[in-house]
Amino acid sequence: MTAPTLKTDSKYDDYDYPTTSPTVHSGHPGHTNAEQDAQVFQLRTQLEQAGYSERLDTLTMLRFLRARKFNVNLAKQMFIDCEKWRKEFGVDDLVRNFDYKEKPKVLEYYSQYYHKTDKDGRPVYIEQLGGIDLTAMYKITTAERMLQNLVVEYEKLADPRLPACSRKSGQLLETSCSIMDLKGVGLSKVSSVYGYVKQVSAISQNYYPERLGKLYMINAPWGFSSVFSVVKGFLDPVTVGKIHILGSGYQSELLAQVPKENLPKAFGGTCDCEGSCALSDLGPWQDPQWAKPPKWASSKKEVSTTIENEASSNISTHKAQGPSNPATEQVEQGAGHQVPITQ
C-alpha cells in the first residue's frame, strides 16, 4: 500500500517539514481524493486570476477549503476577506516589528501564552480569563495593542511553532491544544470578558481557520455546561468534538492529553520554568535541533536589502548628477483596528 502523500505545487509549495497529516480524515493533507485535489487547483487558479500571489500554497488552500466544506466559492471569498483584513491590519509588518514591551504587566491580569507541547506534539496554548480587569489593563496597554499581540502570536504559531513541532514529531501538525482557565470568571466579569473574547474569536474563526486541535475549558463555573449544551447546537459537530468542558476536577483528563512535565504546576503539572512558564515560550520552536528561522523573517531581510540597495543607488545618482528631488524615506507602517474561539 502506498504511503499517503501531499500533492504539491512546485510554484508555491516550499516546505521544510513533514506534510502528511496524522489525522486520517478526508480533506486533510495526504488524505485527499481526486475531486479535492481538483478543488485545490480550482481555488488557487481563481485566486491567481483575481490578482493574488501570496499564501497560495497547498496546505493553506486545504485549510480554507476544509473551513468551507470544500465549497470553492465560499473558500475563495473567505480567503479574499482574510487578505483584505491582513492588509488593513498590517499583519506582515506587525509580525516583523511589533514589540509588546508591556507584556509582563499585562500577564498579571490576563495570562495567555504558548508553552511546550501535548502528547500529540502540538503547541499548548494557555489562557486564564479570571484575572481580566480591562480598566486596569487599559492603563498599561490598549485594546488595539492587545489584538495586535494576539495576531502576532497567531502568525508565530503558523511559523515557526508548528513547523518546529512537525519536524520533531515527524508528521504534519497544523493545530494547537488550547487550555482556557475560567476560574474566577464570575457574573461581574462576564460582560467585559465576553466582549473581548468575542473579538478574539472573530479573528480566530475568520482569518486563521482550522488551527484548533483541542480546547479544554477548565474550572468551568456552575451552569456553564448547561449553557454550552445550548450553544453547541449552533456549532459545527467537528468543532463541538474538539471542545471539552471540565470543572475543578479537570486534572486527570487534561493530563491524559498533556504530559505532566509540560504542564505548569498551576494546572496540576510539574513544570516550573525559571521566571515563570508564561514568559518562557519554551517548546521545539526554541530548540536548535527543530527550529528554523520563520519565512517572514527572511522576507524582512530581503525587504531591508532592497531598501538599502535602493538607498545606495539614490545616493550614488545624487552624487553623480547633483541635487534633485529629496530622497524618499521608506517606512513600514502597520495599521491596526479592532475586529469583532470557534473553529
Side-chain angles (χ1 to χ4, degrees):
M1 183 176 178
T2 305
T5 56
L6 177 74
K7 186 175 181 180
T8 57
D9 183 301
S10 59
K11 182 178 179 180
Y12 295 106
D13 297 341
D14 180 24
Y15 306 121
D16 54 6
Y17 50 88
T19 55
T20 299
S21 173
T23 305
V24 187
H25 291 318
S26 178
H28 285 256
H31 309 287
T32 54
N33 56 38
E35 182 182 3
Q36 291 166 338
D37 290 337
Q39 288 165 322
V40 168
F41 177 80
Q42 185 182 355
L43 174 59
R44 181 185 286 126
T45 301
Q46 289 186 14
L47 289 171
E48 285 179 324
Q49 292 171 348
Y52 296 95
S53 59
E54 293 184 277
R55 289 172 282 278
L56 298 183
D57 64 283
T58 302
L59 294 180
T60 299
M61 295 294 93
L62 281 172
R63 283 196 301 108
F64 277 84
L65 283 166
R66 289 200 305 275
R68 291 297 178 261
K69 307 301 181 187
F70 276 83
N71 182 310
V72 174
N73 289 331
L74 293 180
K76 175 185 175 183
Q77 190 57 55
M78 185 184 192
F79 184 91
I80 290 173
D81 291 344
C82 179
E83 288 297 303
K84 180 176 182 289
W85 168 80
R86 289 182 67 92
K87 184 176 181 180
E88 292 174 347
F89 207 83
V91 175
D92 291 340
D93 289 334
L94 277 173
V95 70
R96 296 169 185 150
N97 303 315
F98 185 70
D99 182 10
Y100 202 40
K101 298 184 293 291
E102 64 270 37
K103 181 177 180 177
K105 290 185 178 180
V106 173
L107 288 179
E108 294 176 10
Y109 297 98
Y110 181 26
S111 195
Q112 48 179 170
Y113 56 97
Y114 286 92
H115 184 264
K116 298 186 176 181
T117 56
D118 69 1
K119 292 184 178 180
D120 294 319
R122 295 175 296 204
V124 172
Y125 174 70
I126 299 172
E127 205 169 296
Q128 293 174 275
L129 297 172
I132 288 184
D133 181 342
L134 293 179
T135 302
M137 290 164 66
Y138 289 162
K139 293 177 182 178
I140 301 169
T141 188
T142 65
E144 179 182 69
R145 283 182 62 79
M146 286 174 63
L147 288 175
Q148 287 175 335
N149 175 65
L150 172 85
V151 168
V152 168
E153 290 301 320
Y154 265 128
E155 291 294 307
K156 290 180 178 179
L157 171 65
D159 192 11
R161 290 189 178 106
L162 285 170
C165 290
S166 297
R167 293 184 197 105
K168 183 174 182 179
S169 68
Q171 56 192 4
L172 175 65
L173 298 172
E174 297 186 285
T175 62
S176 63
C177 173
S178 298
I179 302 170
M180 184 174 287
D181 184 8
L182 301 176
K183 186 176 182 179
V185 179
L187 291 176
S188 61
K189 294 182 179 179
V190 167
S191 59
S192 62
V193 170
Y194 175 77
Y196 177 77
V197 170
K198 186 178 179 181
Q199 283 186 308
V200 169
S201 298
I203 291 177
S204 168
Q205 178 175 270
N206 297 332
Y207 310 128
Y208 296 95
E210 297 289 298
R211 287 303 191 200
L212 179 65
K214 287 182 182 289
L215 169 60
Y216 293 89
M217 303 186 80
I218 64 174
N219 288 312
W222 180 86
F224 188 88
S225 294
S226 299
V227 173
F228 182 73
S229 66
V230 176
V231 173
K232 72 180 182 182
F234 302 98
L235 299 176
D236 184 280
V238 175
T239 299
V240 173
K242 299 176 181 179
I243 301 174
H244 305 263
I245 309 297
L246 307 174
S248 57
Y250 61 82
Q251 284 90 350
S252 60
E253 188 166 343
L254 190 58
L255 286 169
Q257 182 64 36
V258 183
K260 200 167 188 176
E261 63 273 17
N262 287 0
L263 191 65
K265 277 187 174 180
F267 303 108
T270 58
C271 190
D272 187 18
C273 297
E274 183 178 352
S276 90
C277 292
L279 292 170
S280 69
D281 195 30
L282 284 180
W285 52 91
Q286 296 287 2
D287 187 338
Q289 185 177 358
W290 312 113
K292 291 188 179 183
K295 285 185 168 58
W296 50 259
S298 60
S299 297
K300 177 184 177 183
K301 185 177 181 181
E302 290 168 7
V303 170
S304 300
T305 301
T306 300
I307 293 173
E308 289 171 3
N309 289 341
E310 288 178 355
S312 298
S313 176
N314 288 338
I315 292 171
S316 298
T317 302
H318 181 77
K319 286 182 178 178
Q321 297 179 351
S324 56
N325 294 331
T328 301
E329 182 180 4
Q330 299 191 24
V331 181
E332 289 186 350
Q333 296 180 332
H337 61 268
Q338 288 193 28
V339 182
I341 306 177
T342 60
Q343 294 178 9

